Amino acid sequence: MRFDGRWFGPSILMLILVSVEVGAVNWLEPEPFRRDRLEGRQFDYNAESFLHRFSFEPKPALSEQRVLRGNGIEGVAGSSRSRELYVRSEVRLELPLDGPGFAGYRFRRHEDFDGRFDENLVGGGLRHGGWQAGVWGDVVGAKEDIDIHGDVQWSDDRGNRFRATIVAVDAVFNSKQNDGVYERYPYTYYLGGRWQITPQLAVYGFGNVNTPMELQLDSINLRAEDEQYSGGLGVDVAVTESVAAGLRVEGLYGLREQRGLDGPVQEEQRLRRSYGAVTAEMRQSLDQGEQRWFGVRYLQLTENDRRPRDPMETMEMERHEYMVYAGRRWYVREAIAFAPGVFLAYHDNTEVFPGDEDSDDSDRGFYGKLAPAVEFTVNQRTGGRIALNPTLRLHRAAFGGGNVQVYLPF
């Protein structure tokens, strides 16, 4: 079917209007509590941090074309600063055993608002029909750091799927060391799924709950409390045989408190965080596997980090970022595609340090990037691709960071 331009203008206007309010949340995997979150993230966000991260991910943003669901390797690595890489990677391997059993390994390297992390899961389970149940462990040398995952999944040939996971964080912490104790153990509950309502309409989403926990660490004279909730909802609609529209909304809320143990109870930190993002996108499939897309995105992040005993570190951050992006993919050879994208954004970001006003910062203005990605199909059978993406800044004459994207199912 050929492109009919009559619907394009009204549809773009519709996408802009639905961009109301609500990424650093993971839709497909649980995000359990980590004790190193109490130390805070190891890096700072600058004016372009989220622009870089979004431009480094494969596009179109809401397409499931390169979501790794079986065995394989998938990820991105992009230079966001002279001494900083944005890295997101995943390795999945599941091997069938005799009968209904399977064994598996999953590795994930990513970041969230509290810092960078790795996850190594080893486990196995049973399969029957479209169902799969397994037990996984993030197994490390220090037994008090081991997380246990219980997982149930279901899927069918129509694209419907469901997943429920329970994570017992630091499952044997209280009995395997003498430096601290969980007075309330942290658990994570994850639900995710997709429902293909009609051949043209699909709804998908997730919810992740990190239950309230209380941890007393005698070795560093600290009592900590932490809880976090995140979720998202997406809709994908086939407008015509060649045109699809998508809308995705996601949000997160977290609260953390830390207090000293000696003498009168003294608050050391109270961190309150809220995040939301909405992305709306239209995609058109063209002849010979080519494609073009257009999207709009709004991101909001607020952090109030209050530290009464260290007022110089007290910080209030508020970010509002608005973006439009577009791209086109066409094949210059059978296995080589040129897929340039452009990202134009307006940022209204502030950081206020009540105890150190000289450190206050604000970023208000327009930012842009050009991402002239070149994609190499390295396995026609599986769709495996590697993309090189040397981005350029548009708001000033400067290199925007090199980026590599890998999608290798096997």
Side-chain angles (χ1 to χ4, degrees):
M1 179 176 291
R2 304 303 296 177
F3 174 63
D4 185 352
R6 291 175 296 176
W7 63 266
F8 195 75
S11 299
I12 294 302
L13 178 60
M14 176 194 73
L15 285 180
I16 295 174
L17 292 176
V18 298
S19 297
V20 282
E21 55 174 3
V22 201
V25 296
N26 195 307
W27 286 61
L28 300 178
E29 297 292 335
E31 294 286 350
F33 168 77
R34 310 184 309 274
R35 289 204 313 279
D36 59 10
R37 283 172 51 174
L38 302 177
E39 302 172 8
R41 55 179 171 261
Q42 311 95 327
F43 51 92
D44 297 321
Y45 294 130
N46 65 11
E48 303 169 25
S49 290
F50 292 104
L51 174 62
H52 286 318
R53 285 157 172 77
F54 189 74
S55 67
F56 289 156
E57 293 286 350
K59 296 293 177 291
L62 302 190
S63 172
E64 294 191 342
Q65 183 179 3
R66 298 187 209 177
V67 175
L68 187 65
R69 301 200 182 277
N71 293 342
I73 302 170
E74 190 271 336
V76 301
S79 176
S80 53
R81 290 180 182 171
S82 61
R83 296 189 296 175
E84 179 183 277
L85 277 177
Y86 167 64
V87 179
R88 181 189 59 75
S89 59
E90 181 179 10
V91 178
R92 297 169 60 97
L93 179 63
E94 292 186 3
L95 300 175
L97 306 177
D98 292 341
F102 70 90
Y105 170 72
R106 301 174 184 171
F107 169 81
R108 186 159 60 106
R109 172 166 290 168
H110 205 352
E111 66 176 47
D112 58 18
F113 294 124
D114 290 301
R116 304 182 180 101
F117 64 90
D118 292 346
E119 184 179 70
N120 279 282
L121 297 180
V122 179
L126 301 173
R127 287 197 185 100
H128 180 72
W131 288 92
Q132 173 178 308
V135 177
W136 304 79
D138 192 353
V139 182
V140 294
K143 293 182 179 179
E144 66 268 21
D145 296 336
I146 294 176
D147 297 346
I148 303 297
H149 296 229
D151 190 75
V152 176
Q153 302 183 43
W154 170 84
S155 63
D156 66 13
D157 295 335
R158 296 182 61 240
N160 298 308
R161 61 178 180 270
F162 168 80
R163 180 180 181 186
T165 304
I166 299 177
V167 183
V169 179
D170 300 341
V172 294
F173 183 87
N174 286 0
S175 61
K176 295 300 180 181
Q177 47 72 54
N178 300 314
D179 292 332
V181 60
Y182 278 109
E183 297 181 351
R184 296 176 70 183
Y185 256 105
Y187 288 91
T188 294
Y189 300 98
Y190 169 87
L191 286 175
R194 183 179 187 273
W195 181 23
Q196 189 72 44
I197 301 174
T198 70
Q200 293 78 32
L201 175 64
V203 177
Y204 58 98
F206 84 101
N208 190 92
V209 175
N210 292 347
T211 61
M213 75 87 193
E214 296 181 19
L215 172 63
Q216 179 175 310
L217 293 172
D218 298 324
S219 58
I220 57 175
N221 187 38
L222 182 70
R223 178 189 296 275
E225 300 178 14
D226 187 276
E227 58 186 290
Q228 183 170 282
Y229 310 89
S230 61
L233 183 65
V235 179
D236 207 46
V237 182
V239 181
T240 69
E241 291 182 4
S242 62
V243 176
L247 175 68
R248 178 180 293 183
V249 178
E250 61 190 25
L252 176 147
Y253 173 80
L255 178 63
R256 179 175 309 140
E257 297 182 0
Q258 300 189 57
R259 294 180 170 85
L261 296 175
D262 293 342
V265 176
Q266 175 69 52
E267 185 177 70
E268 304 231 0
Q269 181 188 35
R270 181 179 176 86
L271 172 64
R272 189 184 301 272
R273 174 185 294 132
S274 65
Y275 158 81
V278 60
T279 307
E281 182 179 270
M282 302 200 75
R283 305 180 297 273
Q284 183 184 17
S285 299
L286 305 172
D287 295 336
Q288 300 178 340
E290 298 183 354
Q291 192 178 32
R292 56 185 169 189
W293 57 88
F294 172 88
V296 293
R297 179 173 171 83
Y298 168 69
L299 177 149
Q300 171 270 330
L301 174 64
T302 301
E303 289 185 346
N304 190 326
D305 191 354
R306 180 175 178 269
R307 305 195 184 200
R309 297 182 66 177
D310 192 1
M312 298 291 284
E313 293 298 320
T314 294
M315 184 268 289
E316 299 172 3
M317 177 177 70
E318 188 164 355
R319 303 177 71 103
H320 298 273
E321 303 186 5
Y322 310 82
M323 178 191 298
V324 296
Y325 64 95
R328 174 74 153 83
R329 174 178 293 109
W330 67 83
Y331 282 87
V332 295
R333 296 188 175 220
E334 182 180 4
I336 302 176
F338 184 46
V342 63
F343 307 83
L344 303 175
Y346 177 78
H347 295 177
D348 183 2
N349 302 332
T350 59
E351 288 187 358
V352 176
F353 296 83
D356 183 14
E357 295 182 358
D358 291 338
S359 297
D360 291 355
D361 190 23
S362 65
D363 298 297
R364 292 185 178 89
F366 289 93
Y367 295 84
K369 290 188 71 177
L370 175 66
V374 180
E375 302 174 344
F376 301 89
T377 300
V378 295
N379 190 313
Q380 294 281 1
R381 181 181 61 83
T382 64
R385 296 185 185 183
I386 296 176
L388 305 180
N389 186 24
T391 65
L392 304 171
R393 290 177 171 90
L394 297 179
H395 52 282
R396 58 188 176 93
F399 184 55
N403 172 219
V404 177
Q405 304 165 9
V406 175
Y407 174 71
L408 298 174
F410 51 79

